[in-house]
């Protein structure tokens, strides 16, 4: 049974999920593509594949190290199932790279609860969010998650509230230096931001509409279960869970403010949805329904891209 398999956290679980992700990435970027082969393009795509696989490990590290979920692999399984359902995600280098740096930031934010090296973690998180914004500007909204993390974990020290501004300025200086060396021009951060697009015409394409319908239905179902479970959670778990919920809400705003609506922007929505969904699957009740649901999601990931 799939739920029994992913209830464990063993190397074979990571291997199976990793192979699944690699196969779909190769299918989208090397087999299905009509681009002419060049070694430069090949190396770029291989680098992108490494980033994509690293996302899986960072997601697992966040939820395990901070005890957001129990010791299982439901989160990475859901992450793989939903990301491969949107081929545009696997092709969007800027989105994947931004997602990589954003997860590094969330990893530092969630670890603030330990009260160790708080200043360093705040600086690191701010730095990674700023770098992620260079690749995909709307993700800068996730800086609000950091400030909420400071509010709940380390609000007493006034300098903690100033550190994010120092980190953002540091990235600005480094980017300006790079631009002066390569383009002989100053860096204008406002030039990164494009006007949000509210043209959802591409969402009507079957390649986006079908998996998006599944993702939204699963997200709504998981959120209702998540909120119910929070009532019985410990204070420590509630605090971390509220940060996940805030990330989920901000991810919706990021999707809405994205300059291009082609489905790739949904990567930022998928991560918190997978964490919330994993908390539902790890519960002991409704075993048969959860098995049917997980099998359905797997079949959907296998079939929907080809139907589209």
């Amino acid at each position: 049974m799939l739920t029994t398999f992913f209830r464990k956290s063993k190397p074979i679980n990571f291997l199976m999920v990793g192979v699944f992700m690699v196969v779909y990435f190769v299918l989208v970027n090397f087999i299905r593509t009509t681009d002419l082969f060049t070694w430069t393009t090949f190396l770029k795509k291989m680098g992108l594949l490494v980033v994509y696989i690293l996302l899986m490990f960072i997601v697992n590290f966040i939820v395990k190290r901070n005890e957001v979920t129990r010791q299982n692999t439901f989160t990475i399984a859901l992450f793989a199932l939903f990301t491969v359902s949107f081929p545009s995600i696997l092709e969007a280098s800027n989105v994947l790279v931004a997602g990589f740096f954003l997860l590094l930031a969330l990893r530092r934010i969630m670890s603030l609860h330990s009260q160790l090296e708080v200043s360093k973690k705040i600086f690191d998180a701010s730095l990674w969010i700023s770098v992620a914004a260079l690749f995909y500007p709307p993700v800068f909204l996730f800086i609000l998650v950091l400030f909420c993390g400071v509010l709940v974990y380390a609000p007493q020290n006034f300098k903690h509230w100033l550190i994010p501004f120092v980190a953002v300025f540091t990235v600005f200086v480094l980017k300006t230096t790079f631009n002066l060396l390569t383009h002989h021009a100053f860096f204008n951060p406002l030039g990164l931001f494009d006007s949000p697009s509210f043209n959802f015409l591409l969402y009507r394409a079957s390649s986006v509409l079908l998996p998006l319908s599944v993702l939204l239905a699963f997200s709504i179902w998981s959120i209702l279960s998540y909120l119910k479970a929070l009532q019985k959670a410990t204070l420590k778990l509630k605090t971390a869970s509220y940060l996940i919920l805030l990330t989920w809400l901000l991810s919706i705003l990021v999707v809405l403010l994205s300059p291009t609506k082609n489905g790739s922007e949904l990567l930022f929505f998928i991560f918190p949805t997978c964490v919330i969904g994993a908390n539902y699957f790890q519960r002991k009740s409704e075993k048969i329904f959860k098995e049917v649901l997980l099998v359905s999601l797997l079949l959907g990931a296998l079939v929907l891209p080809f139907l589209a």
Side-chain angles (χ1 to χ4, degrees), residues 13-264:
N13 297 61
F14 293 92
L15 179 62
M16 294 294 290
V17 174
V19 169
F20 180 77
M21 295 168 66
V22 169
V23 168
Y24 267 80
F25 185 92
V26 170
L27 179 65
V28 171
N29 285 278
F30 293 101
I31 299 178
R32 196 193 68 167
T33 183
T34 57
D35 296 337
L36 294 176
F37 176 85
T38 63
W39 281 108
T40 301
T41 302
F42 174 78
L43 292 175
K44 286 182 179 179
K45 289 185 176 181
M46 290 302 296
L48 202 60
L49 174 59
V50 172
V51 171
Y52 181 45
I53 297 301
L54 285 176
L55 290 180
M56 175 189 71
F57 287 103
I58 300 174
V59 166
N60 181 72
F61 182 89
I62 291 173
V63 297
K64 298 298 183 299
R65 187 67 177 269
N66 301 288
E67 300 179 356
V68 179
T69 67
R70 298 171 192 165
Q71 293 296 320
N72 56 60
T73 45
F74 285 120
T75 307
I76 63 170
L78 292 171
F79 180 80
L81 291 174
F82 284 125
T83 52
V84 303
S85 297
F86 297 90
S88 55
I89 290 178
L90 306 184
E91 297 175 308
S93 57
N94 60 328
V95 171
L96 286 173
V97 174
F100 172 76
F101 288 115
L102 181 62
L103 286 179
L104 290 179
L106 291 175
R107 180 180 72 89
R108 300 299 270 173
I109 295 172
M110 299 301 294
S111 66
L112 286 173
H113 69 86
S114 68
Q115 298 297 315
L116 299 174
E117 298 182 321
V118 173
S119 298
K120 185 171 184 263
K121 290 176 180 178
I122 295 174
F123 182 85
D124 289 348
S126 309
L127 190 76
W128 293 134
I129 291 174
S130 301
V131 173
L134 295 178
F135 293 91
Y136 205 80
V139 302
F140 192 72
L141 283 172
F142 288 107
I143 197 77
L144 296 176
V145 180
L146 173 59
F147 280 112
C148 285
V150 173
L151 179 64
V152 296
Y153 290 126
Q156 301 86 358
N157 195 330
F158 181 71
K159 74 174 184 179
H160 290 160
W161 298 94
L162 300 178
I163 291 174
F165 298 99
V166 176
V168 172
F169 183 71
T170 299
V171 173
F172 170 77
V173 171
L174 292 175
K175 177 61 175 171
T176 299
T177 303
F178 176 79
N179 277 20
L180 287 173
L181 291 174
T182 57
H183 304 295
H184 306 288
F186 284 93
F187 168 57
N188 177 19
L190 296 179
L192 291 175
F193 293 87
D194 295 325
S195 300
S197 171
F198 297 101
N199 181 6
F200 293 91
L201 184 62
L202 289 177
Y203 277 28
R204 296 170 59 183
S206 57
S207 59
V208 178
L209 181 60
L210 292 177
L212 178 59
S213 300
V214 175
L215 176 62
L216 290 178
F218 177 78
S219 178
I220 294 172
W221 174 266
S222 300
I223 280 290
L224 295 176
S225 175
Y226 195 64
L227 293 175
K228 184 178 179 180
L230 270 180
Q231 299 174 3
K232 302 178 182 179
T234 62
L235 179 60
K236 177 183 176 182
L237 183 57
K238 279 185 177 180
T239 304
S241 299
Y242 287 139
L243 288 178
I244 293 295
L245 280 174
L246 177 60
T247 304
W248 183 78
L249 290 171
L250 287 174
S251 69
I252 297 175
L253 191 56
V254 168
V255 171
L256 293 175
L257 295 179
S258 297
T260 304
K261 301 292 192 299
N262 61 4
S264 62

Side-chain angles (χ1 to χ4, degrees), residues 2 6 20 24 77-78 80-82 84-86 210-211 214-215 281 289-308:
L2 278 179
F6 288 115
F20 180 77
Y24 267 80
L78 292 171
L81 291 174
F82 284 125
V84 303
S85 297
F86 297 90
L210 292 177
V214 175
L215 176 62
F281 277 108
F289 177 77
K290 286 188 290 188
E291 186 69 29
V292 173
L293 178 58
L294 190 56
V295 170
S296 300
L297 291 174
L298 175 59
L299 292 176
L302 292 173
V303 175
L304 287 180
F306 297 99
L307 288 178

